[in-house]
């Protein structure tokens, strides 16, 4: 299983864009907060947890670059902060954190359990058969029982797999892949993304299953700065045609505005067949001021779709307001036809390797009661 592991690199969103209008470096605050409350140094915390105490920076991490950065920053290993030291530690194949954080997490959760007099495994709280049932209950079961899709629809049996923490990012499509295109991304077998790269542009094809819904695609790493393409059906009598519109996002919790000119994409084809929206468009990699220029080998994208909506908006209304469930962020490699991403709005930086068969974190957005 492959997923992005914790490391010492902090995403831009946490270092510069945490609060609107007031850039704050959250991680710098966390380091200072540890000092303010009197947490011991990294080496002393390891000593408290009966872990070997490193006597040089290269004993913290085998990464030579990080080790040298520690040396130039702290000079003395006894001055290393516990937070950054713990993040830098090497970890084995069975853990997503290093030895210090592993010990710390186990100690904290054990203390939380032992201090809870209502812990379900304590004698006399529940009968043995109920304790057994609780132990066998998974996160998937909780989502199935307590969540809903759009407009109060129950979660269909089989929609959510047994492992809700990882979803196979296998961009395979049952139909023939168009000549020259590479499959980039597949979400829930509902939203397919393909691309073809030329010298200075990328052609993107979106295939989205929809019964009166819509789909969207954005060039950018968040709704604060994305160039957005919205694809929706327009029904006139028995004829269904496809409308493709461009929007520019202006910030979080702010409605994107319709972009009329200049256009950033050229629509090659569009159609609606067998309950599938299908559109193909071309975009130049470098467009200049006012647009997000693209990086063909590591491009942040956002996407969203609503497979159906209960009340069709009038022509010209904002279709993209109804996507409470399906919204994702990913990083794609247009050169090699690969992608990795997740359902939460987190940055995916410092991705050193790509694998179309990798398991990527995928969190379903569902309404919780």
């Amino acid at each position: 299983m492959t997923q992005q592991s914790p490391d010492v690199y902090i995403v831009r969103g946490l270092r510069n864009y945490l609060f609107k209008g007031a850039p704050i470096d959250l991680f710098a605050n966390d380091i200072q907060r540890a000092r303010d409350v009197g947490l011991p140094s990294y080496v002393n915390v390891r000593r408290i947890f009966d872990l070997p105490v490193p006597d040089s920076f290269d004993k913290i991490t085998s990464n030579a670059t990080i080790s040298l950065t520690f040396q130039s920053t702290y000079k003395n290993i006894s001055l290393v902060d516990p937070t950054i030291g713990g993040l830098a530690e090497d970890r084995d194949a069975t853990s997503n954190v290093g030895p210090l954080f592993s010990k710390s997490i186990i100690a904290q959760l054990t203390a939380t359990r032992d201090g809870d007099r209502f812990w379900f495994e304590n004698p006399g709280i529940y009968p043995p058969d109920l304790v057994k049932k609780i132990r066998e209950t998974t996160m998937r079961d909780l989502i199935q029982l307590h969540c809903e899709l759009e407009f109060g629809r129950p979660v269909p049996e089989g929609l959510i797999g047994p492992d809700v923490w990882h979803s196979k990012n296998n961009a395979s499509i049952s139909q023939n892949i168009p000549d020259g295109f590479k499959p980039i991304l597949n979400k829930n077998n509902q939203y397919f993304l393909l691309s073809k790269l030329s010298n200075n542009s990328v052609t993107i094809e979106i295939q989205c299953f929809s019964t009166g819904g819509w789909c969207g695609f954005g060039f950018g790493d968040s709704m604060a700065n994305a160039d957005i393409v919205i694809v929706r059906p327009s029904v006139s009598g028995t004829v269904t045609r496809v409308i493709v519109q461009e929007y520019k996002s202006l910030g979080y919790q702010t409605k994107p505005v319709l972009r009329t000119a200049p256009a950033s994409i050229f629509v090659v084809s569009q159609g609606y067949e067998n309950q599938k929206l299908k559109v193909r468009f071309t975009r130049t990699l470098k467009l200049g001021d006012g647009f997000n220029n693209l990086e063909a080998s590591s491009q942040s994208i956002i996407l969203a779709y609503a497979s159906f909506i209960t009340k069709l908006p009038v022509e010209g209304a904002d279709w993209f307001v109804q996507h409470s469930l399906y919204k994702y962020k990913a990083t794609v490699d247009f050169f090699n036809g690969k992608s990795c991403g997740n359902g939460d709005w987190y940055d995916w930086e410092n991705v050193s390797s790509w694998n179309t068969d990798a398991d990527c974190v995928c969190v379903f957005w569902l309404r919780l009661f």
Side-chain angles (χ1 to χ4, degrees):
M1 180 183 71
T2 303
Q3 76 176 60
Q4 190 185 38
S5 298
D7 53 37
V8 295
Y9 300 104
I10 311 303
V11 298
R12 294 189 301 273
L14 293 180
R15 297 198 62 192
N16 301 293
Y17 308 109
L18 186 60
F19 299 109
K20 185 178 180 180
I24 292 177
D25 189 331
L26 178 62
F27 197 72
N29 281 1
D30 287 341
I31 293 175
Q32 185 59 45
R33 192 162 22 228
R35 298 172 180 176
D36 289 344
V37 300
L39 288 187
S41 67
Y42 166 72
V43 294
N44 284 334
V45 173
R46 283 187 62 95
R47 188 176 288 115
I48 291 170
F49 282 111
D50 295 323
L51 292 169
V53 177
D55 55 7
S56 62
F57 292 105
D58 58 7
K59 297 290 182 60
I60 299 177
T61 173
S62 59
N63 186 307
T65 301
I66 297 175
S67 178
L68 289 174
T69 302
F70 269 118
Q71 189 168 359
S72 63
T73 302
Y74 287 101
K75 312 301 182 186
N76 191 320
I77 194 170
S78 64
L79 299 177
V80 174
D81 292 281
T83 306
I84 194 69
L87 285 174
E89 287 183 340
D90 294 332
R91 69 275 332 244
D92 60 43
T94 63
S95 177
N96 207 27
V97 293
L100 178 58
F101 280 4
S102 180
K103 286 268 191 176
S104 175
I105 292 170
I106 291 173
Q108 180 60 65
L109 294 179
T110 301
T112 301
R113 181 198 64 189
D114 295 347
D116 183 1
R117 65 191 180 98
F118 295 113
W119 181 256
F120 76 97
E121 292 176 308
N122 288 347
I125 298 295
Y126 293 121
D129 59 334
L130 186 54
V131 171
K132 180 176 182 294
K133 185 175 182 180
I134 293 173
R135 284 173 175 162
E136 294 173 350
T137 300
T138 66
M139 178 60 73
R140 180 260 179 204
D141 298 326
L142 295 177
I143 293 174
Q144 192 79 41
L145 287 170
H146 300 291
C147 298
E148 64 176 25
L149 303 183
E150 302 107 325
F151 316 111
R153 294 185 299 145
V155 179
E157 191 69 34
L159 175 65
I160 304 174
D163 185 358
V164 301
W165 307 112
H166 307 89
S167 70
K168 198 76 167 183
N169 196 1
N170 179 14
S172 61
I173 300 178
S174 58
Q175 294 80 4
N176 293 328
I177 297 174
D179 184 40
F181 279 79
K182 295 179 181 293
I184 295 289
L185 184 144
N186 170 3
K187 283 300 179 185
N188 302 333
N189 288 321
Q190 295 284 317
Y191 188 114
F192 300 98
L193 186 67
L194 306 95
S195 75
K196 180 169 66 173
L197 190 68
S198 63
N199 290 332
N200 62 353
S201 66
V202 61
T203 301
I204 291 175
E205 179 168 303
I206 299 173
Q207 300 179 20
C208 184
F209 287 96
S210 169
T211 53
W214 64 275
C215 61
F217 178 91
F219 296 98
D221 60 7
S222 74
M223 275 297 294
N225 62 351
D227 298 328
I228 300 172
V229 178
I230 299 295
V231 183
R232 64 176 178 85
S234 178
V235 181
S236 177
T238 59
V239 178
T240 300
R241 61 191 182 96
V242 174
I243 304 295
V244 182
Q245 294 175 310
E246 293 188 64
Y247 287 81
K248 180 67 178 179
S249 59
L250 301 178
Y252 291 110
Q253 307 300 322
T254 302
K255 186 173 69 174
V257 296
L258 183 65
R259 185 195 292 274
T260 55
S264 67
I265 65 170
F266 172 75
V267 179
V268 178
S269 62
Q270 59 204 75
Y272 184 79
E273 184 180 358
N274 297 326
Q275 298 185 341
K276 181 192 292 184
L277 288 168
K278 189 174 179 180
V279 64
R280 184 182 297 182
F281 59 86
T282 297
R283 190 185 198 270
T284 302
L285 296 179
K286 307 297 182 182
L287 284 171
D289 294 342
F291 296 94
N292 291 332
N293 291 325
L294 306 188
E295 299 296 334
S297 60
S298 181
Q299 174 62 40
S300 294
I301 64 169
I302 57 176
L303 59 94
Y305 67 94
S307 55
F308 80 98
I309 53 179
T310 55
K311 183 179 180 181
L312 297 180
V314 298
E315 285 296 322
D318 297 326
W319 285 58
F320 49 78
V321 299
Q322 300 187 45
H323 61 284
S324 60
L325 175 59
Y326 304 113
K327 45 188 176 181
Y328 302 95
K329 179 175 180 177
T331 304
V332 301
D333 180 352
F334 289 125
F335 275 127
N336 299 306
K338 300 175 182 179
S339 66
C340 196
N342 70 347
D344 271 338
W345 296 99
Y346 299 140
D347 256 336
W348 283 69
E349 292 183 329
N350 304 302
V351 179
S352 58
S353 63
W354 296 90
N355 185 349
T356 51
D357 294 325
D359 287 333
C360 298
V361 176
C362 180
V363 180
F364 289 93
W365 283 59
L366 294 156
R367 294 177 182 169
L368 296 172
F369 291 97

